[in-house]
Amino acid sequence: ALAGLLVAAVSMAAIGSASAQEKVVLYTAHKTSLVQALAPVFEKETGIKTEVIQLGSSEVTRRIRAEAKAPKADVVWSTTGSLLTENADLLEPYKSKEAASIDPRFVKSPAWTPYTAVIYVLMQNTPMVPDADMPKSLTDLADPKWKGKIASARADNSGSSFQQMMTVLTVFGDQGWNKYGEIAKNFVLTDSSGSVPRYVADGEAPLGLTLEDNALEYKAGGAQVKIAYLSDGTTASPDGVALVKGAPNAENGKKFIDWAVSKKTQELLVKEAGRRSVRTDVAGPGDLPPLSSLKLVELKSVEELGGTQAILEKWRKAVGQ
């Protein structure tokens, strides 16, 4: 009888914990349309409920740090990879069972898993800038004729804009800050990276430094815009998914990470988001050039360039803030 009671108690506990546990808490920098396209698919495929908190990239890590003594999140879903590396102490290394299919160029740290590759592009308003006049390189962007004509997000507010600045600093080495300063003189600063393609599509600025998927969304929506890749190099920086250290639903978190980088989900991301897959077996969106045809720059690290605070002080000087 005692054995029977024990079995009953164990199965009751299992039932109790199963109902309490079948969820995963996701902190994400994804925009709402992507959360709505993806989260229900995960729920349907796994039976695990998602609780999604949407924040800006840097807010995600700030919040996890604030909660570190009693973690509430299970997974960081899509924030800038370099930010995850900087905050690796908050993350629990997890090697996804899909790891063998991920392009090794995007694997930067054991603390997180590459999720999509984000490519930095120059977006063109075609009625305002004919192809023949288009800047071909970063150097061309420094031409004074583009003064007030290049939309860019603030590097102290946008992970993508920070990466674009890092690309210039990497490509030009010792001359990096001089060159960035010349280009920055031509900027129209926007409050967020999402505003840049809108500025270009609406004709508020003829050119914009933005993310390929953001530009693609406007192009697909019928805006008179084109996407250009600068000849002296662009960055394909991965954003990542990561398990939070001390995650309350860690097993479900691992299932989410495996799902996020699975072939089926990555194909969905290409279709829904116009993002590049980090997998070697998933093609890029639409008629975009393959990654292999672009000159990809391996960025210098934040540490090599003096650390985030020092870099942002120089950025403020460069943009006259």
mmCIF file of all heavy atoms in Angstrom, residues 159-209:
data_model
loop_
_atom_site.group_PDB
_atom_site.id
_atom_site.type_symbol
_atom_site.label_atom_id
_atom_site.label_comp_id
_atom_site.label_asym_id
_atom_site.label_seq_id
_atom_site.Cartn_x
_atom_site.Cartn_y
_atom_site.Cartn_z
ATOM 1 N N GLY A 159 21.549 48.839 -31.781
ATOM 2 C CA GLY A 159 22.616 47.851 -31.946
ATOM 3 C C GLY A 159 23.112 47.789 -33.377
ATOM 4 O O GLY A 159 24.310 47.666 -33.634
ATOM 5 N N SER A 160 22.195 47.928 -34.336
ATOM 6 C CA SER A 160 22.594 47.817 -35.739
ATOM 7 C C SER A 160 23.432 49.019 -36.176
ATOM 8 O O SER A 160 24.399 48.885 -36.921
ATOM 9 C CB SER A 160 21.366 47.665 -36.642
ATOM 10 O OG SER A 160 20.473 48.734 -36.459
ATOM 11 N N SER A 161 23.068 50.196 -35.697
ATOM 12 C CA SER A 161 23.834 51.391 -36.049
ATOM 13 C C SER A 161 25.236 51.336 -35.436
ATOM 14 O O SER A 161 26.227 51.738 -36.053
ATOM 15 C CB SER A 161 23.080 52.628 -35.564
ATOM 16 O OG SER A 161 23.729 53.774 -36.015
ATOM 17 N N PHE A 162 25.317 50.798 -34.242
ATOM 18 C CA PHE A 162 26.613 50.615 -33.571
ATOM 19 C C PHE A 162 27.493 49.683 -34.415
ATOM 20 O O PHE A 162 28.673 49.953 -34.652
ATOM 21 C CB PHE A 162 26.386 50.025 -32.174
ATOM 22 C CG PHE A 162 27.618 50.005 -31.306
ATOM 23 C CD1 PHE A 162 27.948 51.102 -30.519
ATOM 24 C CD2 PHE A 162 28.459 48.902 -31.278
ATOM 25 C CE1 PHE A 162 29.097 51.096 -29.712
ATOM 26 C CE2 PHE A 162 29.598 48.875 -30.479
ATOM 27 C CZ PHE A 162 29.917 49.982 -29.694
ATOM 28 N N GLN A 163 26.890 48.601 -34.928
ATOM 29 C CA GLN A 163 27.641 47.653 -35.763
ATOM 30 C C GLN A 163 28.123 48.314 -37.055
ATOM 31 O O GLN A 163 29.216 48.039 -37.531
ATOM 32 C CB GLN A 163 26.764 46.455 -36.133
ATOM 33 C CG GLN A 163 26.324 45.603 -34.981
ATOM 34 C CD GLN A 163 27.418 44.690 -34.472
ATOM 35 O OE1 GLN A 163 27.980 44.924 -33.427
ATOM 36 N NE2 GLN A 163 27.740 43.655 -35.199
ATOM 37 N N GLN A 164 27.277 49.182 -37.638
ATOM 38 C CA GLN A 164 27.684 49.869 -38.867
ATOM 39 C C GLN A 164 28.892 50.757 -38.605
ATOM 40 O O GLN A 164 29.817 50.818 -39.416
ATOM 41 C CB GLN A 164 26.513 50.690 -39.424
ATOM 42 C CG GLN A 164 25.735 49.860 -40.408
ATOM 43 C CD GLN A 164 24.335 50.362 -40.642
ATOM 44 O OE1 GLN A 164 23.769 51.071 -39.822
ATOM 45 N NE2 GLN A 164 23.777 49.984 -41.755
ATOM 46 N N MET A 165 28.869 51.445 -37.477
ATOM 47 C CA MET A 165 30.014 52.268 -37.088
ATOM 48 C C MET A 165 31.250 51.382 -36.927
ATOM 49 O O MET A 165 32.344 51.726 -37.398
ATOM 50 C CB MET A 165 29.689 52.992 -35.783
ATOM 51 C CG MET A 165 30.862 53.706 -35.150
ATOM 52 S SD MET A 165 30.376 54.522 -33.612
ATOM 53 C CE MET A 165 29.997 53.129 -32.575
ATOM 54 N N MET A 166 31.080 50.233 -36.271
ATOM 55 C CA MET A 166 32.200 49.301 -36.075
ATOM 56 C C MET A 166 32.761 48.815 -37.420
ATOM 57 O O MET A 166 33.953 48.578 -37.554
ATOM 58 C CB MET A 166 31.745 48.092 -35.248
ATOM 59 C CG MET A 166 31.310 48.422 -33.839
ATOM 60 S SD MET A 166 32.683 48.741 -32.732
ATOM 61 C CE MET A 166 33.266 47.070 -32.457
ATOM 62 N N THR A 167 31.885 48.668 -38.406
ATOM 63 C CA THR A 167 32.338 48.251 -39.741
ATOM 64 C C THR A 167 33.292 49.296 -40.326
ATOM 65 O O THR A 167 34.364 48.968 -40.834
ATOM 66 C CB THR A 167 31.134 48.043 -40.690
ATOM 67 O OG1 THR A 167 30.214 47.133 -40.083
ATOM 68 C CG2 THR A 167 31.568 47.495 -42.040
ATOM 69 N N VAL A 168 32.902 50.573 -40.232
ATOM 70 C CA VAL A 168 33.759 51.658 -40.741
ATOM 71 C C VAL A 168 35.091 51.667 -39.984
ATOM 72 O O VAL A 168 36.165 51.765 -40.595
ATOM 73 C CB VAL A 168 33.056 53.037 -40.613
ATOM 74 C CG1 VAL A 168 33.969 54.166 -41.066
ATOM 75 C CG2 VAL A 168 31.754 53.055 -41.419
ATOM 76 N N LEU A 169 35.036 51.543 -38.666
ATOM 77 C CA LEU A 169 36.251 51.574 -37.846
ATOM 78 C C LEU A 169 37.166 50.391 -38.182
ATOM 79 O O LEU A 169 38.392 50.519 -38.175
ATOM 80 C CB LEU A 169 35.899 51.559 -36.354
ATOM 81 C CG LEU A 169 35.051 52.736 -35.849
ATOM 82 C CD1 LEU A 169 34.741 52.590 -34.361
ATOM 83 C CD2 LEU A 169 35.728 54.084 -36.114
ATOM 84 N N THR A 170 36.558 49.251 -38.511
ATOM 85 C CA THR A 170 37.350 48.066 -38.866
ATOM 86 C C THR A 170 37.985 48.221 -40.244
ATOM 87 O O THR A 170 39.181 47.993 -40.425
ATOM 88 C CB THR A 170 36.464 46.797 -38.830
ATOM 89 O OG1 THR A 170 35.940 46.632 -37.518
ATOM 90 C CG2 THR A 170 37.256 45.555 -39.215
ATOM 91 N N VAL A 171 37.170 48.645 -41.236
ATOM 92 C CA VAL A 171 37.652 48.742 -42.623
ATOM 93 C C VAL A 171 38.795 49.750 -42.742
ATOM 94 O O VAL A 171 39.775 49.508 -43.445
ATOM 95 C CB VAL A 171 36.488 49.116 -43.585
ATOM 96 C CG1 VAL A 171 37.005 49.513 -44.961
ATOM 97 C CG2 VAL A 171 35.513 47.941 -43.719
ATOM 98 N N PHE A 172 38.699 50.883 -42.018
ATOM 99 C CA PHE A 172 39.687 51.951 -42.209
ATOM 100 C C PHE A 172 40.807 51.978 -41.169
ATOM 101 O O PHE A 172 41.676 52.841 -41.207
ATOM 102 C CB PHE A 172 38.986 53.319 -42.292
ATOM 103 C CG PHE A 172 38.138 53.440 -43.521
ATOM 104 C CD1 PHE A 172 36.762 53.256 -43.447
ATOM 105 C CD2 PHE A 172 38.717 53.680 -44.759
ATOM 106 C CE1 PHE A 172 35.975 53.334 -44.588
ATOM 107 C CE2 PHE A 172 37.934 53.758 -45.913
ATOM 108 C CZ PHE A 172 36.564 53.582 -45.820
ATOM 109 N N GLY A 173 40.776 51.021 -40.227
ATOM 110 C CA GLY A 173 41.900 50.891 -39.296
ATOM 111 C C GLY A 173 42.242 52.196 -38.599
ATOM 112 O O GLY A 173 41.381 52.825 -37.987
ATOM 113 N N ASP A 174 43.526 52.612 -38.712
ATOM 114 C CA ASP A 174 44.005 53.829 -38.031
ATOM 115 C C ASP A 174 43.206 55.064 -38.424
ATOM 116 O O ASP A 174 43.097 56.013 -37.651
ATOM 117 C CB ASP A 174 45.482 54.095 -38.371
ATOM 118 C CG ASP A 174 46.378 53.006 -37.798
ATOM 119 O OD1 ASP A 174 45.894 52.250 -36.934
ATOM 120 O OD2 ASP A 174 47.538 52.904 -38.222
ATOM 121 N N GLN A 175 42.690 55.066 -39.649
ATOM 122 C CA GLN A 175 41.935 56.226 -40.140
ATOM 123 C C GLN A 175 40.437 56.108 -39.839
ATOM 124 O O GLN A 175 39.643 56.932 -40.297
ATOM 125 C CB GLN A 175 42.146 56.374 -41.664
ATOM 126 C CG GLN A 175 43.551 56.816 -42.045
ATOM 127 C CD GLN A 175 43.917 58.130 -41.358
ATOM 128 O OE1 GLN A 175 43.207 59.128 -41.478
ATOM 129 N NE2 GLN A 175 45.026 58.124 -40.610
ATOM 130 N N GLY A 176 40.067 55.066 -39.069
ATOM 131 C CA GLY A 176 38.649 54.757 -38.853
ATOM 132 C C GLY A 176 37.805 55.916 -38.354
ATOM 133 O O GLY A 176 36.776 56.245 -38.937
ATOM 134 N N TRP A 177 38.285 56.567 -37.281
ATOM 135 C CA TRP A 177 37.468 57.655 -36.708
ATOM 136 C C TRP A 177 37.407 58.863 -37.633
ATOM 137 O O TRP A 177 36.362 59.511 -37.738
ATOM 138 C CB TRP A 177 37.984 58.047 -35.318
ATOM 139 C CG TRP A 177 37.481 57.099 -34.262
ATOM 140 C CD1 TRP A 177 38.208 56.207 -33.538
ATOM 141 C CD2 TRP A 177 36.115 56.929 -33.848
ATOM 142 N NE1 TRP A 177 37.384 55.480 -32.696
ATOM 143 C CE2 TRP A 177 36.099 55.904 -32.855
ATOM 144 C CE3 TRP A 177 34.899 57.530 -34.205
ATOM 145 C CZ2 TRP A 177 34.932 55.477 -32.227
ATOM 146 C CZ3 TRP A 177 33.736 57.099 -33.577
ATOM 147 C CH2 TRP A 177 33.753 56.093 -32.605
ATOM 148 N N ASN A 178 38.506 59.145 -38.343
ATOM 149 C CA ASN A 178 38.482 60.258 -39.318
ATOM 150 C C ASN A 178 37.435 59.988 -40.382
ATOM 151 O O ASN A 178 36.614 60.852 -40.713
ATOM 152 C CB ASN A 178 39.853 60.419 -40.007
ATOM 153 C CG ASN A 178 40.914 60.894 -39.029
ATOM 154 O OD1 ASN A 178 40.580 61.363 -37.939
ATOM 155 N ND2 ASN A 178 42.176 60.753 -39.394
ATOM 156 N N LYS A 179 37.472 58.763 -40.923
ATOM 157 C CA LYS A 179 36.544 58.421 -42.008
ATOM 158 C C LYS A 179 35.106 58.422 -41.483
ATOM 159 O O LYS A 179 34.195 58.955 -42.126
ATOM 160 C CB LYS A 179 36.915 57.046 -42.585
ATOM 161 C CG LYS A 179 36.115 56.644 -43.809
ATOM 162 C CD LYS A 179 36.204 57.650 -44.952
ATOM 163 C CE LYS A 179 37.569 57.652 -45.624
ATOM 164 N NZ LYS A 179 37.629 58.662 -46.709
ATOM 165 N N TYR A 180 34.905 57.851 -40.293
ATOM 166 C CA TYR A 180 33.554 57.823 -39.739
ATOM 167 C C TYR A 180 33.048 59.250 -39.521
ATOM 168 O O TYR A 180 31.891 59.563 -39.811
ATOM 169 C CB TYR A 180 33.494 57.031 -38.424
ATOM 170 C CG TYR A 180 32.068 56.879 -37.932
ATOM 171 C CD1 TYR A 180 31.221 55.922 -38.478
ATOM 172 C CD2 TYR A 180 31.544 57.738 -36.957
ATOM 173 C CE1 TYR A 180 29.902 55.804 -38.067
ATOM 174 C CE2 TYR A 180 30.227 57.625 -36.541
ATOM 175 C CZ TYR A 180 29.408 56.667 -37.098
ATOM 176 O OH TYR A 180 28.093 56.569 -36.700
ATOM 177 N N GLY A 181 33.934 60.118 -39.028
ATOM 178 C CA GLY A 181 33.567 61.528 -38.822
ATOM 179 C C GLY A 181 33.106 62.192 -40.113
ATOM 180 O O GLY A 181 32.115 62.933 -40.128
ATOM 181 N N GLU A 182 33.820 61.895 -41.215
ATOM 182 C CA GLU A 182 33.437 62.477 -42.530
ATOM 183 C C GLU A 182 32.065 61.962 -42.964
ATOM 184 O O GLU A 182 31.229 62.722 -43.456
ATOM 185 C CB GLU A 182 34.478 62.091 -43.597
ATOM 186 C CG GLU A 182 35.815 62.796 -43.451
ATOM 187 C CD GLU A 182 36.876 62.199 -44.393
ATOM 188 O OE1 GLU A 182 36.488 61.535 -45.386
ATOM 189 O OE2 GLU A 182 38.075 62.396 -44.122
ATOM 190 N N ILE A 183 31.847 60.661 -42.775
ATOM 191 C CA ILE A 183 30.547 60.082 -43.169
ATOM 192 C C ILE A 183 29.435 60.638 -42.265
ATOM 193 O O ILE A 183 28.363 61.022 -42.736
ATOM 194 C CB ILE A 183 30.586 58.534 -43.090
ATOM 195 C CG1 ILE A 183 31.605 57.964 -44.080
ATOM 196 C CG2 ILE A 183 29.201 57.936 -43.356
ATOM 197 C CD1 ILE A 183 31.872 56.461 -43.925
ATOM 198 N N ALA A 184 29.731 60.720 -40.960
ATOM 199 C CA ALA A 184 28.717 61.166 -39.985
ATOM 200 C C ALA A 184 28.247 62.596 -40.246
ATOM 201 O O ALA A 184 27.109 62.948 -39.919
ATOM 202 C CB ALA A 184 29.272 61.040 -38.568
ATOM 203 N N LYS A 185 29.128 63.414 -40.841
ATOM 204 C CA LYS A 185 28.724 64.800 -41.188
ATOM 205 C C LYS A 185 27.522 64.802 -42.136
ATOM 206 O O LYS A 185 26.806 65.793 -42.242
ATOM 207 C CB LYS A 185 29.889 65.533 -41.863
ATOM 208 C CG LYS A 185 30.970 66.012 -40.903
ATOM 209 C CD LYS A 185 31.886 67.034 -41.602
ATOM 210 C CE LYS A 185 32.938 67.567 -40.662
ATOM 211 N NZ LYS A 185 34.114 66.652 -40.565
ATOM 212 N N ASN A 186 27.324 63.697 -42.848
ATOM 213 C CA ASN A 186 26.246 63.623 -43.841
ATOM 214 C C ASN A 186 24.965 62.973 -43.301
ATOM 215 O O ASN A 186 23.976 62.861 -44.012
ATOM 216 C CB ASN A 186 26.730 62.839 -45.072
ATOM 217 C CG ASN A 186 27.874 63.553 -45.779
ATOM 218 O OD1 ASN A 186 27.990 64.776 -45.697
ATOM 219 N ND2 ASN A 186 28.722 62.800 -46.475
ATOM 220 N N PHE A 187 24.999 62.565 -42.026
ATOM 221 C CA PHE A 187 23.869 61.819 -41.464
ATOM 222 C C PHE A 187 22.662 62.706 -41.150
ATOM 223 O O PHE A 187 22.797 63.844 -40.732
ATOM 224 C CB PHE A 187 24.262 61.152 -40.136
ATOM 225 C CG PHE A 187 25.095 59.901 -40.276
ATOM 226 C CD1 PHE A 187 25.752 59.369 -39.173
ATOM 227 C CD2 PHE A 187 25.217 59.248 -41.495
ATOM 228 C CE1 PHE A 187 26.525 58.214 -39.281
ATOM 229 C CE2 PHE A 187 25.989 58.092 -41.613
ATOM 230 C CZ PHE A 187 26.643 57.576 -40.498
ATOM 231 N N VAL A 188 21.484 62.111 -41.317
ATOM 232 C CA VAL A 188 20.261 62.584 -40.680
ATOM 233 C C VAL A 188 19.976 61.518 -39.632
ATOM 234 O O VAL A 188 19.719 60.363 -39.980
ATOM 235 C CB VAL A 188 19.070 62.589 -41.669
ATOM 236 C CG1 VAL A 188 17.819 63.115 -40.981
ATOM 237 C CG2 VAL A 188 19.383 63.381 -42.901
ATOM 238 N N LEU A 189 20.055 61.857 -38.345
ATOM 239 C CA LEU A 189 19.895 60.835 -37.300
ATOM 240 C C LEU A 189 18.424 60.557 -37.022
ATOM 241 O O LEU A 189 17.616 61.474 -36.906
ATOM 242 C CB LEU A 189 20.584 61.287 -36.012
ATOM 243 C CG LEU A 189 22.117 61.298 -36.050
ATOM 244 C CD1 LEU A 189 22.669 61.837 -34.736
ATOM 245 C CD2 LEU A 189 22.685 59.906 -36.320
ATOM 246 N N THR A 190 18.095 59.274 -36.921
ATOM 247 C CA THR A 190 16.724 58.871 -36.568
ATOM 248 C C THR A 190 16.776 58.234 -35.176
ATOM 249 O O THR A 190 17.835 57.821 -34.719
ATOM 250 C CB THR A 190 16.171 57.835 -37.562
ATOM 251 O OG1 THR A 190 16.848 56.589 -37.341
ATOM 252 C CG2 THR A 190 16.381 58.263 -39.004
ATOM 253 N N ASP A 191 15.626 58.145 -34.536
ATOM 254 C CA ASP A 191 15.613 57.628 -33.165
ATOM 255 C C ASP A 191 15.796 56.119 -33.091
ATOM 256 O O ASP A 191 16.282 55.595 -32.103
ATOM 257 C CB ASP A 191 14.316 58.051 -32.446
ATOM 258 C CG ASP A 191 13.077 57.677 -33.246
ATOM 259 O OD1 ASP A 191 13.243 57.275 -34.421
ATOM 260 O OD2 ASP A 191 11.961 57.781 -32.729
ATOM 261 N N SER A 192 15.411 55.387 -34.149
ATOM 262 C CA SER A 192 15.544 53.922 -34.095
ATOM 263 C C SER A 192 15.913 53.378 -35.463
ATOM 264 O O SER A 192 15.717 54.046 -36.484
ATOM 265 C CB SER A 192 14.222 53.289 -33.666
ATOM 266 O OG SER A 192 13.298 53.384 -34.727
ATOM 267 N N SER A 193 16.430 52.129 -35.471
ATOM 268 C CA SER A 193 16.839 51.545 -36.759
ATOM 269 C C SER A 193 15.630 51.323 -37.666
ATOM 270 O O SER A 193 15.738 51.379 -38.882
ATOM 271 C CB SER A 193 17.606 50.246 -36.539
ATOM 272 O OG SER A 193 16.880 49.379 -35.714
ATOM 273 N N GLY A 194 14.460 51.083 -37.046
ATOM 274 C CA GLY A 194 13.255 50.882 -37.850
ATOM 275 C C GLY A 194 12.805 52.124 -38.609
ATOM 276 O O GLY A 194 12.111 52.032 -39.624
ATOM 277 N N SER A 195 13.218 53.315 -38.114
ATOM 278 C CA SER A 195 12.817 54.558 -38.793
ATOM 279 C C SER A 195 13.608 54.793 -40.080
ATOM 280 O O SER A 195 13.141 55.489 -40.980
ATOM 281 C CB SER A 195 13.038 55.779 -37.897
ATOM 282 O OG SER A 195 12.574 55.550 -36.608
ATOM 283 N N VAL A 196 14.814 54.242 -40.168
ATOM 284 C CA VAL A 196 15.683 54.536 -41.322
ATOM 285 C C VAL A 196 15.027 54.139 -42.649
ATOM 286 O O VAL A 196 14.899 54.974 -43.548
ATOM 287 C CB VAL A 196 17.076 53.883 -41.154
ATOM 288 C CG1 VAL A 196 17.904 54.058 -42.424
ATOM 289 C CG2 VAL A 196 17.812 54.487 -39.969
ATOM 290 N N PRO A 197 14.566 52.876 -42.806
ATOM 291 C CA PRO A 197 13.956 52.533 -44.096
ATOM 292 C C PRO A 197 12.693 53.333 -44.387
ATOM 293 O O PRO A 197 12.382 53.604 -45.544
ATOM 294 C CB PRO A 197 13.647 51.036 -43.962
ATOM 295 C CG PRO A 197 13.742 50.718 -42.525
ATOM 296 C CD PRO A 197 14.642 51.726 -41.899
ATOM 297 N N ARG A 198 11.993 53.740 -43.321
ATOM 298 C CA ARG A 198 10.784 54.559 -43.535
ATOM 299 C C ARG A 198 11.176 55.922 -44.111
ATOM 300 O O ARG A 198 10.531 56.424 -45.032
ATOM 301 C CB ARG A 198 10.020 54.710 -42.219
ATOM 302 C CG ARG A 198 8.603 55.244 -42.408
ATOM 303 C CD ARG A 198 7.853 55.410 -41.102
ATOM 304 N NE ARG A 198 8.384 56.511 -40.311
ATOM 305 C CZ ARG A 198 8.842 56.382 -39.067
ATOM 306 N NH1 ARG A 198 8.851 55.201 -38.464
ATOM 307 N NH2 ARG A 198 9.301 57.420 -38.409
ATOM 308 N N TYR A 199 12.243 56.526 -43.556
ATOM 309 C CA TYR A 199 12.742 57.808 -44.078
ATOM 310 C C TYR A 199 13.043 57.696 -45.576
ATOM 311 O O TYR A 199 12.694 58.570 -46.355
ATOM 312 C CB TYR A 199 14.041 58.214 -43.351
ATOM 313 C CG TYR A 199 13.863 59.078 -42.128
ATOM 314 C CD1 TYR A 199 13.041 58.706 -41.072
ATOM 315 C CD2 TYR A 199 14.568 60.281 -42.003
ATOM 316 C CE1 TYR A 199 12.894 59.496 -39.942
ATOM 317 C CE2 TYR A 199 14.438 61.077 -40.873
ATOM 318 C CZ TYR A 199 13.607 60.681 -39.847
ATOM 319 O OH TYR A 199 13.482 61.464 -38.733
ATOM 320 N N VAL A 200 13.723 56.606 -45.941
ATOM 321 C CA VAL A 200 14.133 56.448 -47.349
ATOM 322 C C VAL A 200 12.911 56.195 -48.233
ATOM 323 O O VAL A 200 12.756 56.812 -49.282
ATOM 324 C CB VAL A 200 15.170 55.311 -47.499
ATOM 325 C CG1 VAL A 200 15.576 55.141 -48.962
ATOM 326 C CG2 VAL A 200 16.412 55.597 -46.644
ATOM 327 N N ALA A 201 12.023 55.307 -47.786
ATOM 328 C CA ALA A 201 10.821 54.988 -48.576
ATOM 329 C C ALA A 201 9.934 56.218 -48.757
ATOM 330 O O ALA A 201 9.367 56.438 -49.830
ATOM 331 C CB ALA A 201 10.037 53.864 -47.898
ATOM 332 N N ASP A 202 9.849 57.068 -47.693
ATOM 333 C CA ASP A 202 9.004 58.264 -47.761
ATOM 334 C C ASP A 202 9.684 59.439 -48.458
ATOM 335 O O ASP A 202 9.072 60.493 -48.640
ATOM 336 C CB ASP A 202 8.605 58.740 -46.338
ATOM 337 C CG ASP A 202 7.692 57.744 -45.646
ATOM 338 O OD1 ASP A 202 7.217 56.812 -46.328
ATOM 339 O OD2 ASP A 202 7.464 57.877 -44.426
ATOM 340 N N GLY A 203 10.974 59.280 -48.765
ATOM 341 C CA GLY A 203 11.694 60.374 -49.432
ATOM 342 C C GLY A 203 12.170 61.453 -48.476
ATOM 343 O O GLY A 203 12.567 62.533 -48.898
ATOM 344 N N GLU A 204 12.145 61.185 -47.162
ATOM 345 C CA GLU A 204 12.696 62.172 -46.212
ATOM 346 C C GLU A 204 14.221 62.200 -46.307
ATOM 347 O O GLU A 204 14.857 63.193 -45.970
ATOM 348 C CB GLU A 204 12.284 61.820 -44.776
ATOM 349 C CG GLU A 204 10.829 62.126 -44.473
ATOM 350 C CD GLU A 204 10.484 61.792 -43.022
ATOM 351 O OE1 GLU A 204 11.103 62.386 -42.118
ATOM 352 O OE2 GLU A 204 9.604 60.945 -42.806
ATOM 353 N N ALA A 205 14.801 61.083 -46.720
ATOM 354 C CA ALA A 205 16.243 61.007 -46.985
ATOM 355 C C ALA A 205 16.408 60.101 -48.205
ATOM 356 O O ALA A 205 15.745 59.070 -48.302
ATOM 357 C CB ALA A 205 16.989 60.432 -45.793
ATOM 358 N N PRO A 206 17.286 60.485 -49.152
ATOM 359 C CA PRO A 206 17.431 59.658 -50.357
ATOM 360 C C PRO A 206 18.188 58.346 -50.120
ATOM 361 O O PRO A 206 18.013 57.382 -50.840
ATOM 362 C CB PRO A 206 18.210 60.550 -51.326
ATOM 363 C CG PRO A 206 18.812 61.638 -50.499
ATOM 364 C CD PRO A 206 18.006 61.770 -49.257
ATOM 365 N N LEU A 207 19.027 58.322 -49.054
ATOM 366 C CA LEU A 207 19.818 57.128 -48.751
ATOM 367 C C LEU A 207 19.675 56.789 -47.274
ATOM 368 O O LEU A 207 19.416 57.668 -46.459
ATOM 369 C CB LEU A 207 21.309 57.377 -49.052
ATOM 370 C CG LEU A 207 21.717 57.737 -50.473
ATOM 371 C CD1 LEU A 207 23.194 58.132 -50.511
ATOM 372 C CD2 LEU A 207 21.459 56.573 -51.427
ATOM 373 N N GLY A 208 19.885 55.532 -46.936
ATOM 374 C CA GLY A 208 19.842 55.149 -45.523
ATOM 375 C C GLY A 208 20.723 53.940 -45.267
ATOM 376 O O GLY A 208 20.769 53.013 -46.079
ATOM 377 N N LEU A 209 21.435 53.969 -44.144
ATOM 378 C CA LEU A 209 22.215 52.800 -43.706
ATOM 379 C C LEU A 209 21.313 51.972 -42.813
ATOM 380 O O LEU A 209 20.895 52.426 -41.749
ATOM 381 C CB LEU A 209 23.460 53.257 -42.939
ATOM 382 C CG LEU A 209 24.567 53.861 -43.802
ATOM 383 C CD1 LEU A 209 25.596 54.579 -42.935
ATOM 384 C CD2 LEU A 209 25.254 52.794 -44.657
#
